[in-house]
Amino acid sequence: MPFAPGSRLGSYEIVGTLGAGGMGEVYRATDSRLGRDVAIKILPAAVAGDPDRLSRFEREARTVARLNHPNIVVLYSVEHDNGVPFITMELVEGQDLSHDVKPGGLPLTRVLELAIPLADAMTAAHELGVVHRDLKPANVMVTHDGRVKVLDFGLAKPLQAPAGLDTASSGAATESISRAGQILGTVPYMAPEQIRGEAVDARTDLFALGILLYELMTGRRPFMGATPADEISSILRDAPHPLQTLRVDVPADVARVISRCLEKNPERRFQTAKDLRNALNMARQALESGAISARQEVPSVAVLPFVNRSHDEEDEYFADGITEDVIAQLCKVRTLKVIGRTSVMSLKHSGESPQEIAARLNVGHLLEGSVRRIGNRVRIAAQLIEADSGRHLWAETYDRQLTDIFAIQMDVALHIAAALRAELSSTTRERMQREPTLDMRAYEHYLRGRHCFVRFTPQELRRSIEHFDAAIALDPGFTLAYVGLAFAYTELGGSGEPGDQVARTRALSAASSAITFGPDVGEAHAAMAFTKLAFEFDWTGAENGYKRALELSPNSADTHDLYGRLCSALERYDEAIALLQRARELDPLTHRVDLATTFLRAGKFEDAERASNDAATLDPHDPRIFATLGWARFKQGRVDEGLADLERAVSLAPGEDIWLAQLGQAYALSGRTEKAQEILRQLEDPGRATPASPYHLAYIHTGLGN
């Protein structure tokens, strides 16, 4: 039963609740005898009500209490008060390790800072014959001063070594954890032998530790699935994606250490935690000595919006276009992390300092620039700044003819790559030096078209099409203008204008022309993939297109996002989540609600709620965000909260039937049948100016069970 603040257990006064789980409730309390704060865990009834289990638990708790290590939470005592058995432990102030799991992963140095103390803790425990068997982020605390503390050593499942086993020397105490057909543990972090109910030993903890390290390194687990059964299947059968395909900065020796921890056969893993700790220490020493420093971090840069210094405010589109084109050039460099246009454009008038912007975008470098255009001449100033120190790494001013604009963009991009020591293949360098068009009037129409397109309203999309068409009329081989036309018609077709067939024909034709004139232009392949998916449901063709686009422009946030949406539609949720998280890393100030909706479809409702809340802080007026948030809460059983969010989605877009239909479905599912039927009557009203889509009507009918 819960204990309220102020209540007492023996000599301890309860201060507040710390959490609850399978091992019971945890409270903060004050020890009146010693005048110190402690953590108290009330044992669950299954243990407290079974004398044999309680006796065995107390024996094993004495073993755990012998663990004296700075990275292991100290167990003080096992006590009883009025028939309530409880444990007192060291109180740790901080957050659990899940807060360190970031999209795209942590810096390599930080991963090693966390990994080595964890391996140290495992070494100390295993040498006393204690196997954790439930190592996961929730059982690892990081204190406010950065120290690692492992919780619940041996407590959740009492350990008993087989007779005759010298646990102190072997570090491999074993016990089957399968009882009455039940698998004990936390599924995403369990080893194959644990799932099968076989004997577990120290190497079982190393498998879980490998999952933690992979997650810290990439922001995602190596084995994923929509349900626990799918996760179990993935652990037993799937090979994790190689680390170096998800992060190019991971040194091969570090990748091998983590891969070895994740071997399905325990014989192929590290045999002791000490071996793992030594391997991690060697990696840290190599990093500190500079042996792997060149690959330690991927250089990162954000191209801030170029300032328009022209007398004509109409030239704002030109400055924005220069910004986007420099970003596009840098996106071709595989060994750079380049922030996408949407995030940098959102900071155009923020007034934040360079250091504040760099922190928000999680980058080490910023490119600042300005553009002044007078007649047929252009003056561009650019400077590359190291964010932490404010040091200027490179600066240049170009005073040229307007026709030199592409040479200037290429020169800026190449100097940034050189200053950040990014590797450039000869093929990439050749692609960066290629001019997209020789007609400056066509280029101006293209820039104006892009300026209209990114507003995404039907009116602005139509204006963008006019400019892209004008650019193509002046230069029939202008690849990027065809790309813009394909995307604009696909977006416009999705809104019902100018008619599906017209949009389909023009979008596919434009995408085909883009591929013809620019077979090695990443944006062209992304446009073709987008149109194939939207109009032909060509899953395979679209996927091949996105893969080729990422080969050519590996830093494109939009392509990662679109490819992730495709994988989500195909219910390949682990791949979708990885791609969408990478998109968010490359464009962190874009809300990327697609990540939240993918979590929702995958049944990860808590993650969906968290991602929706993150998106809402960036765009509090997007109805899709609140609809996703509403369903995430609804599916967790918080029905009233979910309905309130869905109602907010409707209020944010009163003319969009989809949110009204989803609200009607939720009303029906929650038993509010009259409200659901009222929405159905609204949508079926023959007097409506535009008939409701049958798809939207189906939402409500399915909710009503029709």
Side-chain angles (χ1 to χ4, degrees):
M1 58 177 293
F3 287 81
S7 57
R8 299 189 66 85
L9 274 174
S11 59
Y12 305 94
E13 181 177 338
I14 301 297
V15 175
T17 303
L18 292 176
M23 196 49 212
E25 299 100 5
V26 186
Y27 298 90
R28 183 186 187 120
T30 300
D31 184 344
S32 59
R33 294 170 300 183
L34 300 177
R36 65 179 176 184
D37 284 347
V38 299
I40 285 182
K41 179 170 287 189
I42 311 298
L43 298 184
V47 174
D50 185 332
D52 290 339
R53 289 187 66 188
L54 183 59
S55 176
R56 185 175 67 157
F57 176 85
E58 291 174 342
R59 288 198 307 271
E60 299 302 339
R62 286 193 288 272
T63 300
V64 175
R66 291 167 52 201
L67 294 175
N68 183 16
H69 191 275
N71 299 118
I72 297 176
V73 171
V74 179
L75 188 153
Y76 294 141
S77 64
V78 178
E79 303 184 32
H80 301 257
D81 183 57
N82 292 324
V84 178
F86 60 93
I87 308 161
T88 66
M89 299 173 292
E90 174 188 6
L91 178 67
V92 180
E93 305 275 10
Q95 294 182 317
D96 68 55
L97 198 61
S98 63
H99 291 83
D100 285 280
V101 177
K102 307 293 185 185
L106 295 175
L108 177 59
T109 50
R110 180 57 180 156
V111 174
L112 293 175
E113 286 174 358
L114 296 167
I116 292 171
L118 279 170
D120 269 336
M122 292 298 147
T123 300
H126 294 166
E127 287 179 347
L128 278 178
V130 178
V131 180
H132 195 293
R133 294 178 292 179
D134 196 22
L135 190 63
K136 58 185 178 182
N139 280 339
V140 179
M141 295 291 291
V142 181
T143 66
H144 294 314
D145 58 359
R147 290 177 298 118
V148 172
K149 289 278 191 177
V150 182
L151 308 173
D152 282 352
F153 251 106
L155 297 185
K157 293 162 286 292
L159 176 66
Q160 185 172 5
L165 178 64
D166 183 359
T167 58
S169 62
S170 72
T174 64
E175 181 191 31
S176 171
I177 63 164
S178 178
R179 183 171 63 245
Q182 182 183 19
I183 296 176
L184 301 178
T186 303
V187 167
Y189 300 91
M190 293 172 74
E193 65 271 19
Q194 201 171 2
I195 289 171
R196 289 191 291 261
E198 298 170 354
V200 300
D201 58 29
R203 297 168 298 182
T204 303
D205 283 346
L206 301 189
F207 188 90
L209 183 51
I211 294 176
L212 284 180
L213 299 186
Y214 189 104
E215 193 170 10
L216 292 171
M217 193 73 78
T218 67
R220 53 168 288 188
R221 295 193 301 272
F223 309 106
M224 300 178 70
T227 67
D230 292 334
E231 290 174 326
I232 287 173
S233 177
S234 181
I235 291 169
L236 293 175
R237 295 175 178 82
D238 294 346
H241 288 286
L243 273 171
Q244 289 176 301
T245 66
L246 300 176
R247 278 185 62 167
V248 297
D249 63 317
V250 179
D253 53 350
V254 174
R256 281 193 295 269
V257 168
I258 297 176
S259 178
R260 188 174 173 188
C261 290
L262 296 174
E263 289 283 356
K264 299 190 188 303
N265 184 345
E267 296 295 328
R268 300 183 64 181
R269 297 177 207 149
F270 288 99
Q271 296 302 289
T272 68
K274 184 180 290 185
D275 292 338
L276 172 58
R277 181 195 62 194
N278 291 341
L280 292 168
N281 268 323
M282 289 177 63
R284 180 171 64 179
Q285 290 165 9
L287 182 64
E288 292 172 349
S289 69
I292 59 174
S293 60
R295 302 186 60 197
Q296 178 241 328
E297 304 287 349
V298 170
S300 53
V301 62
V303 180
L304 300 184
F306 276 54
V307 178
N308 176 28
R309 302 289 189 197
S310 302
H311 297 300
D312 191 347
E313 292 184 3
E314 179 67 15
D315 283 340
E316 193 75 16
Y317 79 92
F318 190 78
D320 288 349
I322 300 300
T323 307
E324 292 185 35
D325 284 349
V326 172
I327 292 172
Q329 287 279 43
L330 291 171
C331 279
K332 299 170 184 174
V333 183
R334 183 171 297 278
T335 52
L336 278 180
K337 172 187 170 184
V338 185
I339 299 301
R341 65 160 306 282
T342 311
S343 288
V344 297
M345 287 300 180
S346 71
L347 298 170
K348 193 169 184 178
H349 303 295
S350 70
E352 296 175 82
S353 70
Q355 290 76 19
E356 291 171 329
I357 291 173
R360 287 189 68 187
L361 297 176
N362 192 27
V363 293
H365 306 86
L366 298 169
L367 180 73
E368 294 181 327
S370 63
V371 180
R372 182 188 298 274
R373 178 179 166 185
I374 303 176
N376 289 325
R377 296 196 65 82
V378 63
R379 182 183 179 88
I380 294 180
Q383 54 185 0
L384 182 66
I385 302 170
E386 188 176 64
D388 289 342
S389 65
R391 183 166 60 100
H392 287 64
L393 302 181
W394 168 81
E396 187 63 80
T397 299
Y398 304 86
D399 196 344
R400 307 270 188 88
Q401 292 289 328
L402 189 61
T403 52
D404 291 331
I405 190 68
F406 303 121
I408 296 172
Q409 293 170 3
M410 177 271 296
D411 195 64
V412 171
L414 289 177
H415 273 98
I416 292 173
L420 300 182
R421 299 179 180 178
E423 296 178 12
L424 273 180
S425 68
S426 59
T427 302
T428 301
R429 185 181 295 272
E430 188 275 329
R431 289 172 52 228
M432 292 175 71
Q433 292 173 333
R434 194 181 306 154
E435 294 185 346
T437 181
L438 298 178
D439 191 309
M440 293 311 300
R441 293 177 302 160
Y443 182 61
E444 288 205 36
H445 275 296
Y446 170 71
L447 293 184
R448 290 181 183 274
R450 283 289 306 170
H451 197 65
C452 297
F453 174 80
V454 296
R455 295 169 182 166
F456 290 106
T457 67
Q459 180 181 358
E460 292 297 325
L461 288 170
R462 287 192 293 272
R463 289 184 61 195
S464 76
I465 287 170
E466 292 173 3
H467 285 296
F468 293 140
D469 277 334
I472 291 167
L474 292 165
D475 181 358
F478 193 173
T479 299
L480 293 179
Y482 286 112
V483 168
L485 200 60
F487 273 108
Y489 267 112
T490 305
E491 291 285 354
L492 200 58
S495 69
E497 299 182 26
D500 288 348
Q501 192 57 42
V502 174
R504 175 184 182 277
T505 301
R506 291 222 60 189
L508 289 169
S509 174
S512 179
S513 295
I515 296 288
T516 299
F517 293 113
D520 59 355
V521 174
E523 295 93 330
H525 291 276
M528 178 59 83
F530 190 46
T531 56
K532 280 187 174 183
L533 187 60
F535 294 116
E536 298 187 333
F537 301 100
D538 181 357
W539 312 105
T540 303
E543 181 161 20
N544 290 337
Y546 288 138
K547 286 181 177 179
R548 181 60 177 151
L550 289 177
E551 288 174 3
L552 296 166
S553 295
N555 282 297
S556 171
D558 288 340
T559 303
H560 279 89
D561 186 81
L562 292 170
Y563 189 10
R565 286 160 59 179
L566 168 64
C567 290
S568 179
L570 295 174
E571 298 183 348
R572 288 156 45 188
Y573 295 123
D574 54 343
E575 296 171 73
I577 289 166
L579 286 161
L580 293 168
Q581 286 178 330
R582 178 62 175 162
R584 190 169 68 173
E585 180 189 357
L586 291 168
D587 215 351
L589 301 188
T590 302
H591 60 66
R592 300 289 175 195
V593 70
D594 294 319
L595 179 60
T597 57
T598 298
F599 278 133
L600 183 67
R601 291 169 184 157
K604 300 177 182 297
F605 303 128
E606 292 181 4
D607 290 330
E609 180 179 5
R610 189 180 306 113
S612 298
N613 279 322
D614 289 344
T617 63
L618 296 171
D619 188 351
H621 305 294
D622 189 325
R624 187 178 170 207
I625 294 173
F626 288 96
T628 305
L629 178 61
W631 283 115
R633 288 172 168 166
F634 190 97
K635 291 292 187 179
Q636 292 179 75
R638 290 149 56 196
V639 172
D640 290 341
E641 291 179 69
L643 290 173
D645 289 320
L646 287 161
E647 288 165 351
R648 183 171 180 182
V650 172
S651 69
L652 288 169
E656 296 185 22
D657 289 346
I658 186 171
W659 315 124
L660 189 62
Q662 289 194 21
L663 176 61
Q665 184 186 46
Y667 279 148
L669 291 172
S670 64
R672 295 160 172 83
T673 306
E674 286 189 14
K675 288 190 173 184
Q677 290 174 335
E678 173 57 32
I679 291 176
L680 186 59
R681 284 192 291 271
Q682 290 181 43
L683 295 179
E684 291 180 330
D685 184 355
R688 284 171 56 97
T690 303
S693 165
Y695 177 68
H696 297 153
L697 300 178
Y699 267 111
I700 306 175
H701 281 299
T702 55
L704 291 168
N706 299 336

